[in-house]
Amino acid sequence: MNVPLLDLTRQYTTIAAEIEPKILDLLRSQKLILGKPVEEIEKSCAFYSDCKYAIGVSSGTDAQLMALMALGIGLGDEVIVPTFSFFATAGVVVRVGATPIFVDVDPETYNMDPASLKARITPKTKAIMPVHLFGQSIDLDAILEIANEYGIPVIEDAAQAIGTQYKNGKKVGSMGLMGTFSFYPTKNLGAFGDGGVITTNDEQLAIRLRQMRNHGMEPKYYHSFIGGNFRLDALQAEVLNVKFPYLETWHKARRENAQLYNKLFIESGITTEEFPQSLSGENRIVLPKAVYKESGVTNYHIYNQYTVRIQNRDKVRSYITENGIGTEVYYPLNFHDQECFKYLGENPSSFPIANEAAKTCLSLPIFPELTTTEIEYVVEIVVKAVKN
Ligand SMILES: *Cc1c(COP(=O)(O)O)cnc(C)c1O
């Protein structure tokens, strides 16, 4: 059997009849830049993320870049990011001329570890940019307490976490000064190309970001500061407007898939039910721990990825691949080990959890349209591979 890591055509089939006439209308109108479709998805995202303002932009990466630009961060400044994340989180810091400072992650959630964060704050720290990795919230109480103590703004990288709730029931992206989201096709709410959104509750920031996305222009051809072309396409916005009402149902399907995986892996005997799990003894595989599951909120984890840890990962992965199952390693090389960041002189031994995660993490298929038969097959093959 072949089970792809992600099959976007299955989802497309379910919404094609709705989406195709809308796109055709847009093409015939030739109203391609900003306008009504962008305003509509901005309204939906602001409401959905418990935020007053949402600004549609060209990508999740540009959303992060703009957040740093809006705070005037540049040469001589430091921005603290987790070392285990997608590259954009660190790349944007260097692009504004600042220095990324890396911190280790928590062994249960792979999110920024608050204690490591505190140890790296200096008078030069101008922002903290934690990541809600794989679709699960960071420990916002702990991180905001540290940030508030030092008066440092928090930019939430919520690229993988649109709709994720923290244990207090609030949506991610609404608790820091700004939240940045991606509509890259593999995210839970994906466009048919690139796109992103920034959320904030700060009116002045919202005005600045809106102006920034159009070269800082206001009024037309008058520029009081330098922005860029960070606009969200009307066409992408129209796609998102059609998809948006289905988002909760898709989150739910992903969560149910994750629950089925967990149940089957535990029944197979290659892991125990007890958390925290560690990769030793009976635990040949470590399941993703949904840390806020017991808090009563619904979207405690939206499973943009279902990521397990496995000993001898690369050997196990080869076997799984040979048996037709798509997997991915998010992420095989931490920021502190990337060639382009060697100049920072970070000591790799300062990040033991992230180092282990990079060696053992494996993401399995989790998309909403996955069938029970496919999940059972994935578990069967993974269990065989692990026991070999
Ligand atoms: C996808 C992603 C981004 C970047 O989003 P793009 O829309 O691809 O630019 C940033 N951070 C994280 C954690 C991501 O997963």
Side-chain angles (χ1 to χ4, degrees), residues 1-5 10 321-326 370 374 377-378:
M1 194 189 299
N2 277 319
V3 185
L5 178 66
R10 293 191 205 175
T321 308
E322 281 161 27
N323 283 276
I325 297 166
L370 212 58
E374 287 174 319
Y377 177 69
V378 173

Side-chain angles (χ1 to χ4, degrees), residues 109-384:
T109 61
Y110 315 114
N111 284 332
M112 181 181 268
D113 172 48
S116 315
L117 160 67
K118 190 158 183 172
R120 300 223 62 184
I121 290 177
T122 75
K124 292 182 185 170
T125 310
K126 291 291 147 55
I128 300 165
M129 194 151 53
V131 182
H132 303 288
L133 201 68
F134 304 142
Q136 175 150 244
S137 175
I138 54 168
D139 186 357
L140 274 156
D141 283 348
I143 286 176
L144 287 174
E145 191 186 317
I146 296 166
N148 292 338
E149 182 186 336
Y150 293 89
I152 301 167
V154 170
I155 302 164
E156 298 175 54
D157 178 350
Q160 303 180 2
I162 189 163
T164 298
Q165 287 171 294
Y166 185 48
K167 64 184 176 192
N168 60 10
K170 281 201 182 167
K171 296 280 174 60
V172 304
S174 68
M175 289 164 274
L177 183 58
M178 286 174 269
T180 64
F181 297 84
S182 166
F183 299 131
Y184 186 75
T186 64
K187 312 288 163 141
N188 285 32
L189 180 60
F192 290 174
D194 284 302
V197 69
I198 310 182
T199 53
T200 184
N201 283 307
D202 183 310
E203 187 183 8
Q204 289 313 309
L205 265 179
I207 292 170
R208 191 169 178 85
L209 290 165
R210 208 167 279 286
Q211 200 171 331
M212 183 185 289
R213 109 179 132 183
N214 209 9
H215 293 289
M217 184 161 80
E218 186 62 45
K220 213 173 186 183
Y221 304 125
Y222 287 74
H223 304 260
S224 52
F225 69 94
I226 295 167
N229 175 357
F230 299 127
R231 295 182 299 257
L232 175 66
D233 276 350
L235 195 134
Q236 299 304 344
E238 205 62 315
V239 169
L240 296 165
N241 286 327
V242 174
K243 284 191 169 194
F244 184 78
Y246 298 99
L247 190 53
E248 283 288 314
T249 315
W250 292 335
H251 288 334
K252 187 162 169 276
R254 285 173 184 266
R255 232 179 354 259
E256 285 168 1
N257 291 345
Q259 272 153 11
L260 182 56
Y261 269 129
N262 289 348
K263 177 173 165 281
L264 295 175
F265 278 129
I266 290 165
E267 283 172 6
S268 80
I270 61 166
T271 191
T272 56
E273 202 164 353
E274 299 299 310
F275 278 101
Q277 296 180 323
S278 63
L279 260 189
S280 60
E282 284 177 73
N283 289 325
R284 313 282 292 274
I285 177 172
V286 168
L287 305 177
K289 184 180 181 192
V291 287
Y292 303 123
K293 190 174 176 173
E294 314 308 333
S295 64
V297 299
T298 316
N299 281 349
Y300 52 85
H301 197 329
I302 61 158
Y303 292 99
N304 180 244
Q305 299 299 339
Y306 180 88
T307 303
V308 299
R309 283 192 289 135
I310 309 178
Q311 255 156 16
N312 303 319
R313 187 222 22 230
D314 296 337
K315 193 170 150 247
V316 168
R317 189 182 182 204
S318 304
Y319 182 84
I320 300 172
T321 308
E322 281 161 27
N323 283 276
I325 297 166
T327 59
E328 190 53 88
V329 175
Y330 303 112
Y331 296 92
L333 199 63
N334 286 298
F335 295 158
H336 63 266
D337 284 325
Q338 296 286 351
E339 192 179 336
C340 65
F341 293 135
K342 285 284 184 225
Y343 73 96
L344 295 168
E346 294 275 14
N347 180 355
S349 64
S350 322
F351 313 99
I353 309 294
N355 291 339
E356 210 228 90
K359 271 198 229 121
T360 59
C361 271
L362 189 69
S363 298
L364 304 177
I366 191 68
F367 61 94
E369 298 79 15
L370 212 58
T371 66
T372 302
T373 314
E374 287 174 319
I375 293 172
E376 286 167 353
Y377 177 69
V378 173
V379 171
E380 180 198 320
I381 296 299
V382 171
V383 170
K384 264 193 203 155

Side-chain angles (χ1 to χ4, degrees), residues 8-136:
L8 289 170
T9 64
R10 293 191 205 175
Q11 184 172 91
Y12 182 66
T13 311
T14 67
I15 52 171
E18 226 177 315
I19 229 161
E20 285 169 5
K22 281 226 170 189
I23 291 182
L24 200 57
D25 282 350
L26 187 86
L27 294 183
R28 287 177 175 159
S29 79
Q30 284 298 298
K31 293 193 172 120
L32 303 172
I33 302 295
L34 297 174
K36 264 215 178 98
V38 173
E39 281 166 25
E40 189 183 330
I41 191 63
E42 287 178 341
K43 252 190 219 145
S44 303
C45 286
F47 176 74
Y48 187 60
S49 300
D50 301 332
C51 282
K52 281 196 196 137
Y53 310 99
I55 297 96
V57 298
S58 34
S59 70
T61 306
D62 284 345
Q64 293 180 280
L65 185 66
M66 291 171 71
L68 296 176
M69 287 170 71
L71 296 176
I73 290 170
L75 202 65
D77 297 336
E78 294 178 351
V79 177
I80 302 180
V81 300
T83 189
F84 185 67
S85 177
F86 178 61
F87 183 76
T89 316
V92 293
V93 176
V94 179
R95 286 177 61 198
V96 296
T99 304
I101 302 294
F102 304 138
V103 297
D104 207 359
V105 292
D106 172 271
E108 290 186 359
T109 61
Y110 315 114
N111 284 332
M112 181 181 268
D113 172 48
S116 315
L117 160 67
K118 190 158 183 172
R120 300 223 62 184
I121 290 177
T122 75
K124 292 182 185 170
T125 310
K126 291 291 147 55
I128 300 165
M129 194 151 53
V131 182
H132 303 288
L133 201 68
F134 304 142
Q136 175 150 244

